[in-house]
């Protein structure tokens, strides 16, 4: 049975993006690439652009790049769209290259938050940028969304600025900024944009574009879902809204109370702070034996009588007032409270608008955030992905041979060059991840026909294709067409995750449609192999052994990435990740089906160091598990506090927003890993096998009373001896981190040698080439 995607509440709740009357410029047709210069505009016969998009990424006309999707969607609506990619932000001159846009600027920092793109988890500047030709760093400014918006305003001050992208999504309210270690204002205020579109914004963007084209002032566009904007106090457009004050903790607003029918009227009066004198003087007959005893008077529940029931205000005209920027900046408890409210109000089916004050006195203004956008239907997803993408970088980036290799290679494009995005969204709710805040929990899936058509397009049109599709996936490999069994429950649910602490009984987990796509795709002429490169949700996969068999026997290229993230319950509960029991079940199925197929294949588990809620003992136990199971982690992921994530709120406040936020002992405190030394220690436990970490680990184990783990036996974690080391470690981000001069594992591993996650593994057996005889 397929998940009821196209009959859900969301499919019926919004105007289809394909139903608008095209703008008059549709007559110019489709551009091979959206123009990046005046010369290209002239070749297309354009005298101007209706919309100019500014992005921090190189322009790659591929549906995995947000700016290409936005540009092609607007083009399909009839608008002339130009792109300014990675402009020189030191002046406004580069922003004048295509002339003045007729309708508005569209601004984004790119596919990644610009600060995460430029800085490591240790706040060190990266030397590379996967979204830039040649992998060169420094081609975009810090906080690019703000800088680009300022330059657009300088270039043509009277043109509306529409801000979007993941940087805008994650910074739409006052947020903790890891790099400056303080709470910053909403990006709507700092960028001075006219409108922010958050999340996957095709639906909002199409509506806004047509309304601006119809000469509606942008300041009047305040009713579009998935948008945020600034309102001044007393703005008449806010009339008619019912405000719920949630600017303080433990005061969530009016709560409907039910009268206990077993309370006496005296007890009821006392509970309400009233006198019971009237009851004692009227209609009460104390007994002769005990004058203190009063007869019980049964009271009907007024809610059942149709009396006394408080009317809940309509959600579509209700706004929740969050604590102000000034409050959350100075009060960690209020910050955690605001973060909790924002995540509760995340379901498009029941979310209410949010408002947060910024500034006081003459500078006072409200940042108003409308409810999340209605997800795209399958037909709309097909429309977006079936648009005429060139599927390659713009020719301006090519070398003298017209190639995008070597010095002109764009690593992010190389990674997704032969991949297909089959869905959006994730209902996992992992607290450290930003997918939920951006794409939402509702899965938006393409049709089977649209996916197969894209695989055929890759086969027939993409230069360099060898017959291997690198991925059929999305944010998660195996959430395609999964969702709630009931449209009513789906629209009313306010849970942060459908799979934590266990898989919801209302969640539809049939992997049948995905299995069908895998089988059909690999049977296409010219397709040698379909690999699955997206992260797998293994706790869902074990619900469908048939899917695991299909995946393991046909779609694993030797290694399969999965992310348990940790082994211990403390940090897992703060991540909202399943326990290791699900990992063990999946591992058994993986090994069973690999053996049946006669293949040597390996799981590559990923783990996070220094996540909120992780103690030193937790990391030690994880290191023991790694050694026991024969893993050596080369690429180590240290917790990176991204804006607006729940785990980031934990990191900043020391409180757990997954629980109720209180000022007293009822609020749950979280162990936070702060400071370079402790973060290094947690990272060192993951890399227990690196001799450069042994001095730090010896010191820590002795302090923890676990000196028994220091020794030269197999059961010890680290040895007592210390070899000569240079104290350095080459990050695996750019190249393999195996020390120079040591083999990285070509051929079969040496007997007794431990396999690592990323080195030492045997070469992949894809079946596409035969081994040479020895």
């Amino acid at each position: 049975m397929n998940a009821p995607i196209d009959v859900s509440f969301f499919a019926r709740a919004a105007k289809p993006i394909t139903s608008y009357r095209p703008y008059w410029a549709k007559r110019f047709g489709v551009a091979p690439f959206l123009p990046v210069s005046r010369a290209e505009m002239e070749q297309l016969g354009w005298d101007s652009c209706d919309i100019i998009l500014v992005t921090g990424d190189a322009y790659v006309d591929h549906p995995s790049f947000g700016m290409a999707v936005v540009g092609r969607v607007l083009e399909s609506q009839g608008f002339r769209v130009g792109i300014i990619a990675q402009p020189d932000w030191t002046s406004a001159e580069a922003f004048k290259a295509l002339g003045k846009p007729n309708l508005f600027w569209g601004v984004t920092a790119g596919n990644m938050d610009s600060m995460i793109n430029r800085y490591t988890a240790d706040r060190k500047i990266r030397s590379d940028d996967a979204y830039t030709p040649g992998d060169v760093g420094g081609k975009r400014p810090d906080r690019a969304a703000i800088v680009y918006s300022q330059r657009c305003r300088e270039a043509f001050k009277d043109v509306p600025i529409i801000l979007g992208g993941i940087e805008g999504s994650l910074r739409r309210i006052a947020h903790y900024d890891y790099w400056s270690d303080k709470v910053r204002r909403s990006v709507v205020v700092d960028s001075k944009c006219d409108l922010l579109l958050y999340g996957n914004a095709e639906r909002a963007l199409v509506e806004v574009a047509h309304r601006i084209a119809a000469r509606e002032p942008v300041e009047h566009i305040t009713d579009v879902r998935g948008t945020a904007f600034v309102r001044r106090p007393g703005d008449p457009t806010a009339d008619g809204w019912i405000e719920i004050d949630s600017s303080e903790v433990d005061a969530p607003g009016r709560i409907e109370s039910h009268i206990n029918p077993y309370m006496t009227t005296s007890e009821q009066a006392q509970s309400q702070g009233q006198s019971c004198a009237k009851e004692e003087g009227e209609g009460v007959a104390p007994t002769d034996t005990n004058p203190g005893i009063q007869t019980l008077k049964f009271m009907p529940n007024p809610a059942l009588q149709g009396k006394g029931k408080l009317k809940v205000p309509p959600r579509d005209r209700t706004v929740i007032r969050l604590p102000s920027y000034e409050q959350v900046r100075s009060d960690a408890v209020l910050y955690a409270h605001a973060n909790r409210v924002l995540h509760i109000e995340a379901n498009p089916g029941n979310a209410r608008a949010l408002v947060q004050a910024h500034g006081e006195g003459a500078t006072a203004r409200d940042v108003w955030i409308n409810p999340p956008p209605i997800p795209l239907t399958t037909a709309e997803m097909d429309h977006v992905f079936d648009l005429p993408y060139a599927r390659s970088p713009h020719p301006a980036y090519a070398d003298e041979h017209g190639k995008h290799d070597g010095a002109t290679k764009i690593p992010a494009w190389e990674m997704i060059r032969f991949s297909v995005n089959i869905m959006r969204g994730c209902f996992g709710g992992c607290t450290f991840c930003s997918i939920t805040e951006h794409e939402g929990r509702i899965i938006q899936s393409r049709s089977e026909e649209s996916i197969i058509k894209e695989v055929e397009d890759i086969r027939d049109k993409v230069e360099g294709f060898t017959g291997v599709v690198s991925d059929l996936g999305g944010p998660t490999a195996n959430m395609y067409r999964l969702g709630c069994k009931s449209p009513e429950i789906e629209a009313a649910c306010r849970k942060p995750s459908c799979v934590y602490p266990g898989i919801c009984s209302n969640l539809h987990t049939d992997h049948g449609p995905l299995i069908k796509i895998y089988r059909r795709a690999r049977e296409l002429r010219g397709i040698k192999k379909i690999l699955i490169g997206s992260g797998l949700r293994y706790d869902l996969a074990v619900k469908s052994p048939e899917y695991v068999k299909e995946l393991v026997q046909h779609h694993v290229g030797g290694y399969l990435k999965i992310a348990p993230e940790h082994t211990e319950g403390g940090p897992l509960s703060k991540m909202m990740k399943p326990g290791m029991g699900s990992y063990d079940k999946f591992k058994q199925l993986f090994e069973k089906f690999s053996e049946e197929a006669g293949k040597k294949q390996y799981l590559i588990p990923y783990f996070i160091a220094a996540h909120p809620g992780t103690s030193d003992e937790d990391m030690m136990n994880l290191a023991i598990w790694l050694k026991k199971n024969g893993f050596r982690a080369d690429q180590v992921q240290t917790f990176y506090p991204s804006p607006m994530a729940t785990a980031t709120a934990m990191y900043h406040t020391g409180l757990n927003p997954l629980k109720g936020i209180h000022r007293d002992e009822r609020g749950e405190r979280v162990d936070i890993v702060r400071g370079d030394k402790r973060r290094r220690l947690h990272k060192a436990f993951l890399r227990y096998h690196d001799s450069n970490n042994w001095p730090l680990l010896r010191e820590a184990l002795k302090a923890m009373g676990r000196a028994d783990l220091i020794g030269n036996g197999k059961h010890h974690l680290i040895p007592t001896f210390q070899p000569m080391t240079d104290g350095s470690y080459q990050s695996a981000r750019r190249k393999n981190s195996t020390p120079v001069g040591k083999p990285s594992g070509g051929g079969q591993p040496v007997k007794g040698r431990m396999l690592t996650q990323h080195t030492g593994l045997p070469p992949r057996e894809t079946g596409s080439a035969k081994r040479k005889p020895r």
Side-chain angles (χ1 to χ4, degrees), residues 185-186 188-192 229-234 321 324-326 355-368:
R185 300 185 299 185
S186 165
V188 180
V189 174
D190 283 343
S191 68
K192 297 182 174 62
F229 49 90
V230 168
R231 266 191 172 128
R232 296 286 180 179
R321 180 164 292 279
S324 69
Y325 158 67
E326 287 74 18
V355 63
Q356 185 176 52
H358 283 62
E360 298 171 343
T363 63
R365 64 272 211 205
D366 285 337
V367 172
W368 193 284

Side-chain angles (χ1 to χ4, degrees), residues 242-274:
I242 300 168
E243 184 176 298
I244 296 177
D245 187 0
S246 190
S247 58
E248 293 293 337
V249 297
D250 299 327
R254 188 171 60 186
I255 296 178
E256 181 181 348
S257 59
H258 294 276
I259 294 177
N260 185 347
Y262 296 100
M263 291 174 67
T264 65
T265 52
S266 173
E267 291 169 334
Q268 292 173 37
Q270 286 181 329
S271 69
Q272 298 171 9
Q274 299 173 356

Side-chain angles (χ1 to χ4, degrees), residues 626-657:
L626 287 171
K627 182 165 187 180
K628 179 181 177 181
N629 288 273
F631 287 108
R632 292 183 175 183
D634 250 3
Q635 292 180 343
V636 174
Q637 183 180 4
T638 308
F639 171 65
Y640 204 154
S642 60
M644 216 170 83
T646 300
T648 301
M650 294 181 194
Y651 178 87
H652 171 56
T653 66
L655 297 168
N656 185 4

Side-chain angles (χ1 to χ4, degrees), residues 134-291:
D135 201 15
V136 178
K139 291 293 186 180
R140 77 187 79 210
D142 289 357
R143 313 187 202 288
I146 296 174
V147 176
Y148 289 160
S149 297
Q150 292 171 341
R151 293 294 177 264
C152 288
R153 191 72 76 194
E154 291 175 22
F156 301 105
K157 65 179 181 179
D158 58 337
V159 177
I161 296 173
I162 311 298
L163 183 62
I166 195 166
E167 183 164 312
S169 286
L170 301 189
R171 299 171 183 270
R172 59 186 183 261
I173 65 168
H175 55 278
Y176 173 72
D177 183 81
Y178 173 64
W179 304 271
S180 57
D181 194 25
K182 67 179 184 181
V183 175
R184 291 181 62 93
R185 300 185 299 185
S186 165
V187 72
V188 180
V189 174
D190 283 343
S191 68
K192 297 182 174 62
C193 66
D194 294 281
L195 205 60
L196 166 68
L197 309 188
Y198 68 87
N200 292 124
E202 292 95 345
R203 192 181 300 286
L205 183 67
V206 169
E207 179 178 349
V208 168
H210 282 288
R211 289 171 68 171
I212 293 178
R215 299 293 183 262
E216 183 174 351
V218 69
E219 58 268 20
H220 292 176
I221 304 176
T222 60
D223 58 343
V224 179
R225 297 181 68 113
T227 63
F229 49 90
V230 168
R231 266 191 172 128
R232 296 286 180 179
D235 189 328
T237 61
D239 293 345
W241 284 82
I242 300 168
E243 184 176 298
I244 296 177
D245 187 0
S246 190
S247 58
E248 293 293 337
V249 297
D250 299 327
R254 188 171 60 186
I255 296 178
E256 181 181 348
S257 59
H258 294 276
I259 294 177
N260 185 347
Y262 296 100
M263 291 174 67
T264 65
T265 52
S266 173
E267 291 169 334
Q268 292 173 37
Q270 286 181 329
S271 69
Q272 298 171 9
Q274 299 173 356
S275 170
C276 58
K278 182 177 179 181
E279 179 200 84
E280 292 172 354
E282 295 181 16
V284 178
T287 64
D288 295 333
T289 56
N290 191 339

Side-chain angles (χ1 to χ4, degrees), residues 253-392:
R254 188 171 60 186
I255 296 178
E256 181 181 348
S257 59
H258 294 276
I259 294 177
N260 185 347
Y262 296 100
M263 291 174 67
T264 65
T265 52
S266 173
E267 291 169 334
Q268 292 173 37
Q270 286 181 329
S271 69
Q272 298 171 9
Q274 299 173 356
S275 170
C276 58
K278 182 177 179 181
E279 179 200 84
E280 292 172 354
E282 295 181 16
V284 178
T287 64
D288 295 333
T289 56
N290 191 339
I293 295 179
Q294 300 173 0
T295 57
L296 286 174
K297 183 177 181 180
F298 289 87
M299 301 293 296
N301 188 333
L304 300 178
Q305 299 292 315
K307 302 176 183 177
K309 185 174 183 179
L310 300 175
K311 290 185 178 180
V312 178
R315 288 184 176 273
D316 60 348
R317 299 301 295 173
T318 302
V319 61
I320 299 176
R321 180 164 292 279
L322 299 173
S324 69
Y325 158 67
E326 287 74 18
Q327 287 178 298
V328 299
R329 180 184 60 182
S330 58
D331 189 333
V333 175
L334 288 180
Y335 183 96
H337 170 69
N339 182 272
R340 175 175 169 80
V341 173
L342 181 137
H343 283 86
I344 288 175
E345 300 293 332
N347 183 344
N350 58 51
R352 292 164 287 194
L354 305 174
V355 63
Q356 185 176 52
H358 283 62
E360 298 171 343
T363 63
R365 64 272 211 205
D366 285 337
V367 172
W368 193 284
I369 305 171
N370 282 331
I374 299 297
L376 298 184
T377 65
T378 295
E380 290 172 318
M381 284 283 286
D382 288 352
H383 168 73
V384 169
F385 282 88
D386 291 347
L387 293 171
Y389 302 97
R391 302 193 67 89
S392 70

Side-chain angles (χ1 to χ4, degrees), residues 54-177:
V54 181
T55 175
D57 296 336
Y59 171 34
V60 179
D61 198 48
H62 188 283
S64 289
F65 283 71
M67 192 48 58
V69 172
V70 166
R72 290 298 186 182
V73 167
L74 288 170
E75 180 189 56
S76 72
Q77 299 292 324
F79 299 104
R80 293 169 294 179
V81 183
I83 289 187
I84 298 177
Q86 298 188 320
D88 176 5
W89 69 88
T90 57
S91 76
E93 288 306 309
F95 294 76
K96 300 176 182 178
L98 302 182
K100 182 179 180 179
N102 300 323
L103 300 179
F104 62 85
W105 295 101
V107 177
T108 177
N111 271 19
M112 289 178 66
D113 183 281
S114 60
M115 300 300 287
I116 295 176
N117 178 277
R118 192 161 185 234
Y119 294 88
T120 69
D122 297 323
R123 298 189 181 96
K124 295 178 181 177
I125 294 179
R126 301 187 195 275
S127 59
D128 53 353
D129 182 345
Y131 293 90
T132 301
D135 201 15
V136 178
K139 291 293 186 180
R140 77 187 79 210
D142 289 357
R143 313 187 202 288
I146 296 174
V147 176
Y148 289 160
S149 297
Q150 292 171 341
R151 293 294 177 264
C152 288
R153 191 72 76 194
E154 291 175 22
F156 301 105
K157 65 179 181 179
D158 58 337
V159 177
I161 296 173
I162 311 298
L163 183 62
I166 195 166
E167 183 164 312
S169 286
L170 301 189
R171 299 171 183 270
R172 59 186 183 261
I173 65 168
H175 55 278
Y176 173 72
D177 183 81

Side-chain angles (χ1 to χ4, degrees), residues 741-773:
K742 292 187 178 181
S744 61
Q748 297 300 314
V750 179
K751 184 178 180 180
R753 177 181 173 189
M754 298 176 72
L755 299 179
T756 73
Q757 288 185 29
H758 307 278
T759 61
L761 289 169
R764 298 187 182 196
E765 295 183 16
T766 62
S768 58
K770 293 183 178 180
R771 290 188 176 184
K772 294 181 179 180

Side-chain angles (χ1 to χ4, degrees), residues 415-416 418-422 468-478 518 529-537 547 551 554-557 559-563 604 606 764:
M415 185 177 70
I416 53 85
F418 306 122
S419 70
V420 178
N421 194 330
I422 66 174
V468 179
V469 175
S470 59
D471 189 23
L472 293 182
T476 306
N478 59 320
Y518 286 0
K529 187 83 172 180
I530 303 280
L531 296 172
I532 303 303
S534 299
L536 184 78
R537 191 78 195 199
Y547 170 75
L551 174 76
H554 299 284
H555 302 283
V556 174
Y559 325 133
L560 180 66
K561 296 182 296 184
I562 59 173
I604 303 178
Y606 281 75
R764 298 187 182 196

